[in-house]
Amino acid sequence: MTRTPYDPSGEGAQMSFDGRMSYGDYLRLDTILTAQAPLSDAHDEMLFIVQHQASEIWMRLVIHELTSVCDHIAKDDLAPSFKMLARVSRILDQLNSAWDVLRTMTPSEYTTFRKALGMSSGFQSFQYRAIEFLAGNKNAAMMRPHAHKADIHAWLERILQAPSIYDQSIRLLARQGFPIDQSILTRDCSQAYEANESVRAAWLVIYSDPEAHWSLYELAEKLVDFEDYFRRWRFNHVTTVERIIGFKSGTGGTSGVNYLRKMLDVVLFPELWAVRTDL
C-alpha cells in the first residue's frame, strides 16, 4: 500500500510566500547566513567564525537586557529587572557552553588559519566592552580600539559616563533610606567602582533580615547570580585560550592568557561578596 506523503497545507499551513513575509525574511537569514566568510581554506575557521558571531548575537541581547535593568532600577520598578537579570544569567550560561564547542579545535587546527586573523582579537569586541561598562568595570583606556568608528565610540562613551547597574542599585538603597555616603552617590560614574563601607553596611542589614527587605534582597541575589555566571564566562575564556594557544601573545597584541587572567581578578559588586563573610 502506497502511503500518501504528508502535506501540511492540508492542515492550513502557508506554503506560498510570494509577496508575503516568511520565516527567513523576518530573521533576515539572507544577511546572517552569508556573514561567514573564511579567509583561508582551513576547515576549522568556519567553527571559529560561527562561535564568535553567535556569541556577539547573544551579547546583543545581554546589552538590551542590562540597559533595561538600569532603567527599571532607576525608576524603583524592581520586578521586571529581576526577570531580566535572570535572563542575562541564562544567556551567559549559553555563552559558557559555546566555549565547549570551540574547545573541540586543537592547537594544530588553529594554527592553520591564525595568520588570517591579522590583528583582530576578541578584546576589541565593542559589545563585550559595553557589557563590562554596564556591569561597572569602567576603563576609558579600553575605548581606544574603537576610536576609528565614531558612532560606536560615541555609544560606548555614553555607557561609560552613565551609572552602571550597581551604581543604580546603590542609589536605590539611598532612596530606600539606607545611609549611603554622599561621595558614592555623586561619584564620577566613568570611573571603576571601589568598595565602600556604607554600602557594605546597607547590604548587611538587608541580608540579616531578608523578609523585611525582600525586594532589595532579591535584587542582591540576582546581581550575584549575574556576576557568578560572568566570572565563569571569563574563566572558560581563559581556559579555552590556554588550551588552544598556550601562553602565546594574542592576535591583537595582548599578552594572551596573562591578559585574560587579569580579568579574573575584577570584582563587580564587592560588597555583595564581602557581606557573606560578615553574616
Side-chain angles (χ1 to χ4, degrees):
M1 181 178 177
T2 303
R3 177 174 295 179
T4 303
Y6 170 65
D7 183 352
S9 65
E11 298 174 355
Q14 182 64 50
M15 304 295 281
S16 176
F17 291 94
D18 183 17
R20 297 180 176 89
M21 183 175 66
S22 69
Y23 172 83
D25 296 330
Y26 175 71
L27 295 178
R28 300 186 182 183
L29 294 182
D30 55 342
T31 299
I32 294 173
L33 299 180
T34 56
Q36 296 74 47
L39 298 178
S40 74
D41 295 328
H43 175 82
D44 285 79
E45 189 179 357
M46 181 62 81
L47 162 62
F48 190 83
I49 291 171
V50 168
Q51 191 271 342
H52 284 83
Q53 287 183 344
S55 294
E56 289 289 339
I57 292 174
W58 278 121
M59 283 191 274
R60 175 70 182 86
L61 183 55
V62 169
I63 293 165
H64 175 69
E65 299 294 342
L66 291 182
T67 301
S68 291
V69 167
C70 287
D71 292 342
H72 280 283
I73 294 176
K75 298 173 184 176
D76 293 0
D77 187 17
L78 295 187
S81 70
F82 299 156
K83 175 66 175 291
M84 294 168 188
L85 283 168
R87 180 175 293 161
V88 169
S89 293
R90 301 291 84 75
I91 296 168
L92 290 170
D93 198 26
Q94 290 285 334
L95 287 166
N96 272 317
S97 297
W99 293 124
D100 293 337
V101 181
L102 191 61
R103 280 197 287 266
T104 65
M105 183 171 61
T106 68
S108 299
E109 291 162 345
Y110 181 54
T111 58
T112 61
F113 66 88
R114 191 184 190 210
K115 289 183 179 179
L117 302 179
M119 294 298 293
S120 63
S121 172
F123 94 93
Q124 299 155 9
S125 166
F126 63 85
Q127 290 203 122
Y128 177 76
R129 195 56 49 206
I131 292 171
E132 289 276 9
F133 286 178
L134 284 163
N137 186 22
K138 306 286 186 76
N139 182 353
M142 300 308 293
M143 297 277 289
R144 293 205 298 269
H146 313 290
H148 65 298
K149 297 280 190 179
D151 55 340
I152 291 173
H153 191 273
W155 177 65
L156 286 174
E157 180 68 29
R158 289 193 295 272
I159 300 173
L160 178 72
Q161 297 294 334
S164 69
I165 54 174
Y166 199 48
D167 287 320
Q168 294 289 12
S169 298
I170 292 170
R171 293 178 182 187
L172 172 65
L173 294 179
R175 291 195 300 273
Q176 293 292 319
F178 290 92
I180 304 298
D181 290 346
Q182 192 63 25
S183 62
I184 296 298
L185 300 176
T186 60
R187 77 181 195 88
D188 180 357
C189 291
S190 70
Q191 302 297 311
Y193 176 79
E194 295 183 6
N196 176 270
E197 282 303 314
S198 69
V199 176
R200 182 170 177 165
W203 288 124
L204 180 58
V205 170
I206 292 164
Y207 271 85
S208 296
D209 190 1
E211 289 77 11
H213 311 281
W214 188 260
S215 291
L216 295 174
Y217 176 69
E218 187 170 0
L219 173 61
E221 283 299 285
K222 288 293 188 293
L223 291 172
V224 170
D225 278 345
F226 165 65
E227 183 163 3
D228 188 350
Y229 278 96
F230 201 21
R231 287 182 179 185
R232 296 184 211 182
W233 185 27
R234 286 170 169 160
F235 179 79
N236 278 321
H237 189 185
V238 173
T239 303
T240 301
V241 172
E242 184 174 354
R243 176 170 176 159
I244 295 175
I245 70 168
F247 285 86
K248 295 186 185 75
S249 296
T251 49
T254 69
S255 57
V257 167
N258 289 327
Y259 163 76
L260 293 172
R261 282 183 173 174
K262 292 177 183 178
M263 299 300 101
L264 298 180
D265 294 332
V266 174
V267 180
L268 298 173
F269 317 132
E271 295 89 353
L272 289 178
W273 296 96
V275 74
R276 282 148 169 77
T277 303
D278 297 334
L279 288 170

